[in-house]
Amino acid sequence: MPSVLPLGDPAPSDGLLPPQALDGAADRAFGLYVHIPFCAVRCGYCDFNTYTATELGGGASQDAYASTAISEVEFAAGVLEQSGLPARKLRTVFFGGGTPTLLPAEDLARILRAATDQWGIEPGAEVTTEANPDSVTPESLQLLADAGFTRVSFGMQSAVPHVLKVLDRTHTPSRVPLVVQWARDAGLDVSLDLIYGTPGESLEDWRFSLETALSYSPDHISAYALIVEDGTKLAAQIRRGEVPGIDDDDHAAKYELADQMISDAGLHWYEVSNWSATADQACRHNLAYWRGDDWWGIGPGAHSHVGGVRWWNVKHPTAYAGRLASGVSPAAGRETLDAETRGVERIMLEARLASGLAVSSLSASGKHAVAGLIADGLVAPADAFRGRLVLTLKGRLLADAVVRRILPD
Amino acid sequence: MSPMARTAPVPAATDPAIIRNFCIIAHIDHGKSTLADRMLQYTGVVQSRDMKAQYLDRMDIERERGITIKSQAVRMPWELDGVSYALNMIDTPGHVDFTYEVSRSLAACEGAVLLVDAAQGIEAQTLANLYLAMENDLTIIPVLNKIDLPAAQPEKYAAELASLIGGDPEDVLLVSGKTGVGVEALLDKIVRDLPAPVGDPDAPARAMIFDSVYDTYRGVVTYVRVVDGMLHPRERIQMMSTKASHELLEIGVSSPEPTPSKGLGVGEVGYLITGVKDVRQSKVGDTVTNLAKPAAESLSGYADPKPMVFSGLYPLDGTDYPVLRDALDKLKLNDAALIYEPETSAALGFGFRVGFLGLLHLEIVRERLEREFNLDLISTAPNVVYEVTLEDKNVVTVTNPSEFPSGKINEVREPMVAATILAPNEFVGAIMELCQGRRGVMRGMDYLSEDRVELRYWMPLAEIVFDFFDLLKSKTRGYASLDWKADGEQVADLVKVDILLQGEQVDAFSAITHKDKAYAYGVMMTGKLRELIPRQQFEVPIQAAIGSRIIARESIRAIRKDVLAKCYGGDITRKRKLLEKQKEGKKRMKMVGRVEVPQEAFIAALTTDESKDKAKK
């Protein structure tokens, strides 16, 4: 999650939701995101809301964090109930960061337990945590599995030491196969996160990273082009000319290579930057974001969405903990989307998915644009004939341009 | 004791013998406005505490650029040897674009102060205006200004002035408008040396209009110099060129605020208000007479302004078209030389083809439209007027390259100018090279002093309207000065070069050039567009063509990636806002066929790097 919060409307201090949020709620899945705002080191490219200090004051320290997060879980359950939302069990839970595994596994387990105590959890629910290869042990992974976690997503990023160095990643590449094996031994599904297009990374470096990652037979791979965010150390290094800038053509070539190698290894793309071995192993929590389901985001800076109402918490862990301690909603701002804006978001998000979006849901001008997109090789013709707009490989690389062409004028 | 006059002569009752009408001829930056301010202060018409730098330049643009666009007249009292005199200072525009207005201002004077920067020497435009003043038989008072500057070389430039106008270098006055040194001596000299105006007080009234200005509250304010007879308030006057008559609602003098008077007599300078709303009804150079007792003959020298340079002006936001139309209508009230007609461009939408006296005039109009009317504009490359004779002997006047006939052409005639360039002799080689490259024919070369040279060229106007002056400045480290005036026309081998994006012609980039330069233009414009137009989802060829013959080609590679890799729960709002912004941006794109061209690309392609800096020259 980017560290700069959007501008929105003021959020009420009781956190209560407007009636709009109730419409159709029973048909939408409900998930929980838990943000862990701590890292051992801040990576040079990262602009997420995360802190390396071990002692933040006022209930925001790493030791106190689980209790603070649990207090938001309780607050959330109260708000949803008082706002009149139907009781829904959790379908997905996702612990992200930061580095969730920097907290003791028992803390993560406690937060999960508090959430399931509040809402219950559906059978076969997906519970993921992100993890740094350096911060897990066979024991901690086993503890998580026992607590109900089903999936772990390792931040591998690259298998090439000089690339990891530019990214400020501290783990040693040789540790990755070990932690993958431990996770499997604990019964967890494994996803590997990769980053391509880092300054100084050659196409061969990237090929090596892909080969290495695939050799561990992950159930799921996320591969992201490096985004240089304003205000990061990496952005400053590029501005000063210390490292080369990024090149979209290079990104395109690397994306094409990734798609080919990952597909050859038997995984299938289901979202622009995500591939899974089976349809069941697609990250259902992330799919919920792209399909407009409901989720509550726990933690400083976390975003939530319930029925077209979206809000985001205050950024700093101390301020966040202070709000909760005094019984006030930690939301910093929120927006209530109108039907038109929800339509824009739906197109923007569903276009990224292999399942695509229904051509019939587009505006007249959007429908009109489809033929041109087929002619330009951006949309798969066979799916379009069946009424679905699904991007081709070339179209995935130009997804934002495609979206601009199919949005209402 | 201050020589400020104790009693000022009263307008309408002033003996011509105590009137002195003068103007100041100076180059931009040579300190005319500062000197004028100092005179206002020393004669007491403006109190020191009210002094606003460059009082007479009313428009913001004038003050910022230090250029006087519209002239004005101020009446100042001055006492010498116990007699109170009335001095009328007529402020003249200094730029070549406004030569006609300058000549009318000069015609209202008996004398001129020739003001030259003591650190820079005389410039070509000043020479041109000095020439006009001498043709009008004006008495010249040579003055070197800015003598307080460390770089001043009064001896050198006094000698140069003396050799130009005759006389002794010792007669050149040394002043500093900034410190006030020599200003009182100059006022004394104006009284002593300049002749008093002469006219027949009993003849039918004749007054020459040397300026007219539109004022939001008062309508058109007309500045006149009375030659014969007398004008009175409430009487009906007639404009002799149009025969239009108006009631004289108010008559008076500026000192410098407008002050109504009982009339204006022989030799006096002042303003008239008739309630008309358009300066076209009060044309510079026209003669005002009394309707009841009209003069038989008008004063000589009247001419209609003729636009030399044309450019298309388009609002960036198409919905601003009515605002632009209203803005031009308003500017026209105050600018008799401004002409325009609606024009449609496939690439730029609805706009106007506007005629200007010259490039400075273009820039000023554009800047006023943007500043005073809050418009964002694109202007196409300026072009001149071509006379195209077709094979069937029909003649077509082309003011827009896209209207250049495509059929069989017998001949094309282009307007020519006589250009005068003054520069230190070390730059002669560079100047000759530049002028020859611009199809100039040398007409002569003279040394003004040991190290200053005057070069005279006959050149196509088209070759100097775009970036010639900037190049001239850069090749001479800023030392050269340029003056030009229209001088006939010539038949030339001219062609129209079109620019095509993905096979679609972009009318805004069509240009008429000499055959030998068509290729260079094609290469330059296609290269520039390749840099300026963002990559599209397909390859875009950019071609330059004469008719159906392609003379240059570039291409823009297709974009391969346009997707944000990550889009999770916390990214959605930001991503949607980015998308909305991009969509807004798309609205500001002009479509050429399927190619999205940002307006910035049009602006940048139509601007040279040099002309971007021009505003600062």
Side-chain angles (χ1 to χ4, degrees):
Chain A
M1 131 203 14
S3 69
V4 180
L5 295 178
L7 289 171
D9 306 324
S13 60
D14 59 11
L16 289 181
L17 298 170
Q20 176 194 323
L22 276 65
D23 289 346
D27 301 330
R28 289 191 302 270
F30 177 56
L32 190 72
Y33 171 77
V34 181
H35 185 67
I36 310 295
F38 306 111
C39 282
V41 200
R42 178 179 270 276
C43 303
Y45 62 92
C46 175
D47 84 328
F48 286 12
N49 190 32
T50 186
Y51 301 81
T52 52
T54 48
E55 279 307 315
L56 292 169
S61 70
Q62 292 189 16
D63 289 348
Y65 186 74
S67 301
T68 308
I70 288 168
S71 67
E72 192 185 358
V73 168
E74 289 160 358
F75 177 81
V79 165
L80 291 175
E81 195 185 333
Q82 287 165 41
S83 300
L85 276 129
R88 287 177 293 176
K89 289 182 175 174
L90 294 166
R91 189 173 293 173
T92 61
V93 181
F94 194 104
F95 285 68
T99 308
T101 49
L102 209 59
L103 290 191
E106 177 50 36
D107 280 5
L108 302 184
R110 266 178 63 209
I111 299 171
L112 178 61
R113 215 157 39 233
T116 50
D117 286 352
Q118 286 296 341
W119 291 294
I121 190 157
E122 290 188 357
E126 174 195 279
V127 182
T128 307
T129 185
E130 291 180 343
N132 184 309
D134 277 349
S135 60
V136 293
T137 61
E139 295 73 27
S140 68
L141 288 165
Q142 189 60 55
L143 199 155
L144 291 174
D146 293 346
F149 283 79
T150 63
R151 204 171 164 270
V152 61
S153 174
F154 288 112
M156 174 179 167
Q157 321 308 8
S158 171
V160 180
H162 75 88
V163 174
L164 289 169
K165 187 157 184 286
V166 172
L167 295 174
D168 281 339
R169 298 299 291 209
T170 52
H171 70 264
T172 38
S174 60
R175 198 174 160 85
V176 176
L178 277 179
V179 301
V180 169
Q181 191 54 50
W182 296 341
R184 290 212 180 289
D185 291 347
L188 297 166
D189 276 0
V190 173
S191 176
L192 295 176
D193 279 3
L194 297 172
I195 290 180
Y196 58 90
T198 300
E201 180 193 60
S202 68
L203 195 62
E204 287 314 303
D205 288 337
W206 175 232
R207 186 191 302 278
F208 178 73
S209 292
L210 284 164
E211 275 168 359
T212 307
L214 290 166
S215 74
Y216 306 144
S217 304
D219 308 301
H220 183 282
I221 285 187
S222 300
Y224 310 112
L226 180 70
I227 300 171
V228 179
E229 301 283 1
D230 289 346
T232 58
K233 177 178 149 195
L234 185 61
Q237 289 172 322
I238 291 173
R239 197 175 58 243
R240 291 193 297 261
E242 292 164 11
V243 297
I246 57 165
D247 172 19
D248 280 345
D249 286 356
D250 173 61
H251 279 187
K254 285 174 179 166
Y255 181 82
E256 286 167 358
L257 180 66
D259 187 64
Q260 189 200 332
M261 289 178 65
I262 298 170
S263 301
D264 287 352
L267 285 78
H268 309 280
W269 82 277
Y270 68 95
E271 192 265 353
V272 167
S273 300
N274 289 279
W275 292 259
S276 67
T278 67
D280 285 349
Q281 285 165 318
C283 179
R284 281 184 279 148
H285 184 80
N286 288 339
L287 281 168
Y289 292 148
W290 300 319
R291 288 178 174 154
D293 283 332
D294 292 351
W295 74 90
W296 192 293
I298 299 288
H303 288 232
S304 303
H305 171 261
V306 176
V309 181
R310 185 176 293 118
W311 67 95
W312 40 91
N313 287 347
V314 293
K315 243 182 78 180
H316 199 276
T318 306
Y320 165 78
R323 290 267 195 111
L324 285 166
S326 49
V328 174
S329 162
R334 81 178 184 190
E335 57 182 10
T336 304
L337 308 175
D338 57 21
E340 188 190 337
T341 313
R342 290 183 82 175
V344 168
E345 286 195 355
R346 191 182 53 74
I347 291 172
M348 171 183 105
L349 297 169
E350 289 186 357
R352 299 174 68 91
L353 300 176
S355 51
L357 55 88
V359 173
S360 60
S361 70
L362 296 175
S363 66
S365 64
K367 287 189 187 108
H368 186 72
V370 174
L373 292 167
I374 294 172
D376 289 342
L378 304 177
V379 161
D383 291 301
F385 299 154
R386 286 190 293 272
R388 301 295 296 180
L389 185 138
V390 178
L391 299 177
T392 59
L393 174 60
K394 188 179 169 194
R396 276 183 262 157
L397 274 165
L398 295 171
D400 291 357
V402 171
V403 167
R404 290 194 295 274
R405 283 168 70 176
I406 57 177
L407 282 180
D409 278 333
Chain B
M1 188 195 107
S2 162
M4 200 181 281
R6 279 159 296 190
T7 55
V10 181
T14 306
D15 181 354
I18 57 162
I19 295 175
R20 298 292 183 270
N21 296 323
F22 72 98
C23 60
I24 303 174
I25 297 173
H27 189 70
I28 304 163
D29 294 341
H30 282 205
K32 179 172 72 169
S33 297
T34 310
L35 175 66
D37 288 347
R38 203 61 61 218
M39 289 182 171
L40 296 182
Q41 194 183 338
Y42 283 17
T43 56
V45 297
V46 175
Q47 299 302 317
S48 302
R49 65 171 181 278
D50 298 334
M51 211 60 209
K52 189 158 52 160
Q54 302 187 7
Y55 195 96
L56 295 182
D57 293 349
R58 277 163 303 175
M59 285 187 277
D60 287 346
I61 295 175
E62 293 187 11
R63 221 187 313 279
E64 275 171 31
R65 292 184 161 207
I67 303 168
T68 310
I69 303 163
K70 300 302 287 186
S71 60
Q72 214 192 10
V74 185
R75 182 167 167 133
M76 307 177 287
W78 191 249
E79 193 171 302
L80 183 69
D81 303 331
V83 180
S84 278
Y85 291 85
L87 273 49
N88 291 307
M89 174 164 61
I90 293 166
D91 206 16
T92 57
H95 194 273
V96 62
D97 282 6
F98 306 104
T99 295
Y100 173 71
E101 292 181 320
V102 175
S103 76
R104 295 304 87 202
S105 298
L106 294 175
C109 305
E110 278 73 35
V113 172
L114 172 63
L115 188 72
V116 172
D117 187 323
Q120 295 185 57
I122 199 160
E123 304 276 359
Q125 277 165 28
T126 315
L127 274 185
N129 289 341
L130 174 61
Y131 172 81
L132 291 173
M134 290 169 84
E135 275 205 323
N136 276 290
D137 286 328
L138 265 53
T139 302
I140 309 293
I141 300 178
V143 174
L144 286 174
N145 191 20
K146 306 194 189 181
I147 55 156
D148 55 304
L149 288 185
Q153 294 177 273
E155 298 79 17
K156 176 180 171 183
Y157 293 118
E160 188 177 283
L161 288 188
S163 78
L164 271 172
I165 59 172
D168 200 313
E170 265 79 77
D171 293 337
V172 176
L173 273 182
L174 303 182
V175 309
S176 165
K178 194 170 147 205
T179 65
V181 168
V183 175
E184 291 180 358
L186 173 58
L187 288 164
D188 288 349
K189 198 170 170 71
I190 287 168
V191 171
R192 279 206 192 92
D193 290 8
L194 299 193
V198 179
D200 182 350
D202 302 320
R206 289 201 298 175
M208 189 203 57
I209 300 175
F210 63 87
D211 198 4
S212 62
V213 178
Y214 177 78
D215 179 287
T216 319
Y217 302 104
R218 323 236 28 207
V220 172
V221 180
T222 303
Y223 290 89
V224 296
R225 150 74 191 265
V226 178
V227 175
D228 293 322
M230 183 132 182
L231 291 171
H232 301 93
R234 312 313 305 183
E235 69 189 11
R236 286 197 77 80
I237 54 165
Q238 186 177 52
M239 303 299 175
M240 293 188 74
S241 77
T242 59
K243 300 291 174 209
S245 72
H246 309 286
E247 187 183 348
L248 205 44
L249 301 177
E250 184 178 316
I251 184 166
V253 299
S254 316
S255 61
E257 303 304 331
T259 313
S261 71
K262 288 182 178 155
L264 290 174
V266 168
E268 286 194 293
V269 171
Y271 68 89
L272 314 176
I273 289 170
T274 60
V276 303
K277 296 270 184 261
D278 182 343
V279 289
R280 278 164 180 69
Q281 291 174 285
S282 210
K283 295 176 175 177
V284 169
D286 203 353
T287 304
V288 180
T289 191
N290 186 311
L291 181 67
K293 190 187 164 195
E297 242 181 89
S298 58
L299 298 162
S300 63
Y302 173 75
D304 268 323
K306 185 177 161 216
M308 301 288 284
V309 177
F310 285 80
S311 171
L313 290 185
Y314 292 84
L316 275 188
D317 178 349
T319 60
D320 276 345
Y321 175 79
V323 183
L324 175 59
R325 186 187 54 216
D326 292 349
L328 283 167
D329 287 346
K330 285 209 180 82
L331 284 192
K332 182 178 77 170
L333 297 177
N334 202 9
D335 187 343
L338 185 66
I339 65 159
Y340 51 90
E341 59 183 41
E343 175 178 88
T344 311
S345 156
L348 303 176
F350 292 103
F352 291 91
R353 178 119 302 235
V354 187
F356 303 95
L357 296 173
L359 275 192
L360 180 77
H361 189 209
L362 185 161
E363 278 176 36
I364 288 168
V365 168
R366 194 195 143 128
E367 206 168 317
R368 289 190 62 187
L369 288 169
E370 297 200 316
R371 191 178 302 196
E372 295 171 29
F373 300 91
N374 246 331
L375 285 160
D376 288 321
L377 298 173
I378 299 181
S379 54
T380 62
N383 61 271
V384 302
V385 183
Y386 298 95
E387 298 286 336
V388 181
T389 309
L390 306 175
E391 268 201 337
D392 59 8
K393 301 292 174 207
N394 277 332
V395 178
V396 182
T397 301
V398 176
T399 58
N400 180 345
S402 66
E403 291 163 4
F404 196 82
S406 50
K408 291 271 185 196
I409 286 165
N410 208 2
E411 65 174 29
V412 184
R413 285 188 307 281
E414 61 175 341
M416 299 296 288
V417 299
T420 305
I421 297 164
L422 293 195
N425 58 359
E426 61 183 295
F427 300 116
V428 165
I431 294 168
M432 287 166 83
E433 195 187 338
L434 175 64
C435 292
Q436 270 150 25
R438 297 301 180 105
R439 299 188 284 133
V441 177
M442 197 178 205
R443 284 269 177 85
M445 179 167 122
D446 287 305
Y447 276 79
L448 291 183
S449 61
E450 261 181 30
D451 58 354
R452 295 238 305 164
V453 181
E454 178 190 272
L455 294 105
R456 292 185 301 280
Y457 273 90
W458 195 55
M459 298 175 76
L461 175 61
E463 295 285 350
I464 66 169
V465 292
F466 202 35
D467 54 359
F468 179 78
F469 186 68
D470 302 299
L471 284 172
L472 180 67
K473 281 284 182 193
S474 71
K475 282 181 190 298
T476 60
R477 297 208 304 271
Y479 281 110
S481 62
L482 167 73
D483 179 58
W484 57 267
K485 62 171 196 257
D487 189 16
E489 55 181 29
Q490 74 171 10
V491 173
D493 204 351
L494 300 168
V495 293
K496 181 175 75 149
V497 182
D498 292 319
I499 302 294
L500 297 92
L501 274 187
Q502 253 213 345
E504 297 264 345
Q505 186 188 323
V506 189
D507 51 11
F509 296 137
S510 292
I512 297 169
T513 72
H514 191 265
K515 208 173 122 203
D516 295 346
K517 294 186 168 182
Y519 175 72
Y521 175 79
V523 168
M524 183 275 294
M525 197 47 107
T526 51
K528 211 169 183 178
L529 290 174
R530 186 174 63 91
E531 296 302 318
L532 291 169
I533 296 175
R535 292 164 67 184
Q536 314 273 316
Q537 291 152 37
F538 39 84
E539 181 178 318
V540 179
I542 310 169
Q543 296 162 305
I546 299 173
S548 57
R549 190 164 58 88
I550 305 298
I551 56 169
R553 186 200 152 107
E554 291 275 1
S555 78
I556 304 171
R557 284 182 305 139
I559 188 170
R560 292 182 61 197
K561 180 191 171 232
D562 180 3
V563 60
L564 207 61
K566 273 193 173 188
C567 187
Y568 294 105
D571 304 315
I572 295 171
T573 301
R574 181 165 80 147
K575 169 95 175 111
R576 188 193 73 239
K577 289 189 172 178
L578 181 69
L579 189 64
E580 283 163 354
K581 212 170 120 189
Q582 288 170 335
K583 272 209 67 173
E584 271 310 298
K586 196 174 161 181
K587 282 187 193 154
R588 288 172 68 86
M589 294 275 186
K590 300 280 187 188
M591 296 301 293
V592 177
R594 293 184 63 211
V595 184
E596 289 178 0
V597 184
Q599 303 201 303
E600 297 71 33
F602 275 105
I603 297 168
L606 293 168
T607 319
T608 57
D609 292 339
E610 293 88 347
S611 65
K612 265 185 267 173
D613 301 330
K614 194 176 290 173
K616 291 159 210 143
K617 81 190 169 200

